[in-house]
Amino acid sequence: MVKKILFYIFIVIAFVAITAWLVIGWSFLVEPNLLTVNNLRIEDKELKGLKIVFVTDFHICADGKERLQKIIDKINVQQADIVLLGGDYIVNDIFDNHTMAAKDIAENILKIKAKYGVFAVLGNHDYSFGAHKTFAKAFKDTHVKLMDNQNCLVNIDEKQLCIVGISDFSAGKNNVEKAFEGATKPAVAFTHSPDIFSSIPSYVNYTFAGHTHGGQVCLPLWGPLARPRHLLGKYVMGCYEENNKRMFVSKGVGTSHLNVRFFAVPEIVVAEFY
C-alpha cells in the first residue's frame, strides 16, 4: 500500500515537473518569437473600406535584425491603406539593455509601406538616452511621419481622414489638447499608452494604443501578471468601449525586462472597417 502511494506521488511530481519545464520552454523560447495577425472587423460607416495596420512595442534587440525584417514583411504583405506605429522601438531597461541602434531601426522602418502613409509616435523607451531625437531626424522628409501631439489630414479617394498622434503619457509627453487642435471628423487617434483614452474627444472614430504587452505573462483564470502601475489594470489588451468611444490595446510584438510571453502572443493588428 505504501509503495503504491509513493508511486502515485512520484507520478504527480514528475507530471508537475515536466509541465513546468514545458511551460518555461514555451514562454521563453517559443511564444516571444511568434508573430500573429489579429484581424479586426470594425463597423463604422465613415471609415467603411479602410484598412489600418497598427504595430507597437517593437523592442528590437542588438541581434534582432531578422526579427525586425520579419515584422516589416508581415506588415507590408497586408497592403494597408494606413500603417500606424505605436512606439517603443528600442530596448532600454535594467534587465535587457542591449538594443539595436535607433538609427538602424529607423532605417529599417522606412521599408514599411502603405497606400496613404505611415505614421508613428514614440514610446517611453524611445525617449531614453535621446533616441527620440534620432527617430525624429531619421524620419524627417520621408514617407514616415512622426506625430508629436499633432494631427494631419489624409486624402483617401474623395474623402479626408484626420490622423491624430498623441505623444506618450508614461513619459510625460502627452498633450491631448494640442494633438487635437484643428482636428476634424472622421478621425483616428493613436498613441503609445492607453491612459489618455478618457481624454479622447467623443467625435473620434477609433483609437489605437499599446504599451502593456497584454500583460506579457497571463495565467489562465487569473489574467495578466504584469500591469503597468499607472493603468491600475484598466486597459491591458483588446477592445474597450466607454462613453461612446472605442479603443483597441495591442499586445505588441516585442518584450521588455525579460524575453518571455505566456498567453500574450505577439500581434500585428489589422483593422478593416465596414
Side-chain angles (χ1 to χ4, degrees):
M1 183 68 178
V2 174
K3 290 183 178 180
K4 186 177 289 188
I5 293 174
L6 291 175
F7 174 76
Y8 285 127
I9 292 174
F10 171 78
I11 293 297
V12 171
I13 292 174
F15 175 79
V16 171
I18 292 171
T19 301
W21 279 111
L22 288 174
V23 168
I24 291 171
W26 174 269
S27 302
F28 282 88
L29 301 176
V30 179
E31 189 167 319
N33 298 311
L34 298 177
L35 187 59
T36 61
V37 175
N38 188 351
N39 291 288
L40 307 179
R41 283 187 54 78
I42 304 168
E43 185 175 4
D44 191 308
K45 293 181 179 179
E46 289 185 305
L47 303 180
K48 185 177 180 179
L50 185 68
K51 179 192 279 190
I52 293 178
V53 170
F54 176 66
V55 190
T56 185
D57 298 281
F58 289 70
H59 294 296
I60 303 298
C61 295
D63 59 354
K65 184 177 180 179
E66 185 177 336
R67 174 67 171 177
L68 180 54
Q69 188 60 54
K70 183 179 179 180
I71 293 168
I72 292 169
D73 290 343
K74 186 80 79 170
I75 294 171
N76 286 340
V77 79
Q78 306 304 321
Q79 296 184 316
D81 294 315
I82 291 170
V83 171
L84 304 177
L85 306 177
D88 268 6
Y89 309 101
I90 71 168
V91 178
N92 173 42
D93 55 57
I94 60 174
F95 295 105
D96 193 6
N97 60 3
H98 55 287
T99 184
M100 180 183 287
K103 181 176 180 294
D104 294 334
I105 295 174
E107 288 177 354
N108 280 276
I109 285 176
L110 289 174
K111 299 176 185 176
I112 296 174
K113 306 297 180 184
K115 187 175 182 180
Y116 299 109
V118 179
F119 303 86
V121 291
L122 300 175
N124 53 301
H125 287 247
D126 303 319
Y127 285 103
S128 302
F129 301 106
H132 62 292
K133 297 178 182 178
T134 301
F135 287 114
K137 182 178 179 180
F139 294 155
K140 186 178 181 181
D141 299 325
T142 70
H143 70 286
V144 177
K145 184 173 179 59
L146 187 61
M147 309 287 282
D148 183 13
N149 293 315
Q150 63 192 97
N151 64 81
C152 67
L153 290 175
V154 179
N155 293 314
I156 300 177
D157 296 329
E158 297 179 356
K159 300 179 181 178
Q160 286 189 321
L161 172 66
C162 186
I163 302 291
V164 185
I166 305 157
S167 298
D168 184 43
F169 171 90
S170 54
K173 304 294 184 179
N174 63 300
N175 187 331
V176 176
E177 184 176 348
K178 179 183 176 184
F180 282 94
E181 186 175 337
T184 58
K185 185 177 174 65
V188 170
F190 74 115
T191 187
H192 182 63
S193 301
D195 311 70
I196 49 81
F197 188 40
S198 61
S199 301
I200 296 292
S202 59
Y203 64 80
V204 173
N205 297 67
Y206 211 85
T207 301
F208 294 93
H211 182 53
T212 66
H213 301 186
Q216 198 162 298
V217 175
C218 299
L219 299 182
L221 305 179
W222 180 272
L225 287 183
R227 298 169 183 256
R229 290 187 297 273
H230 49 278
L231 294 177
L232 300 177
K234 190 173 184 180
Y235 309 120
V236 180
M237 60 178 163
C239 299
Y240 295 90
E241 291 193 29
E242 292 180 7
N243 302 319
N244 296 317
K245 297 183 295 185
R246 298 177 294 174
M247 175 177 68
F248 187 86
V249 180
S250 171
K251 297 190 288 288
V253 294
T255 60
S256 65
H257 299 301
L258 291 174
N259 187 37
V260 56
R261 279 184 181 262
F262 188 65
F263 278 91
V265 181
E267 65 179 5
I268 287 173
V269 177
V270 179
E272 295 189 68
F273 295 86
Y274 69 96

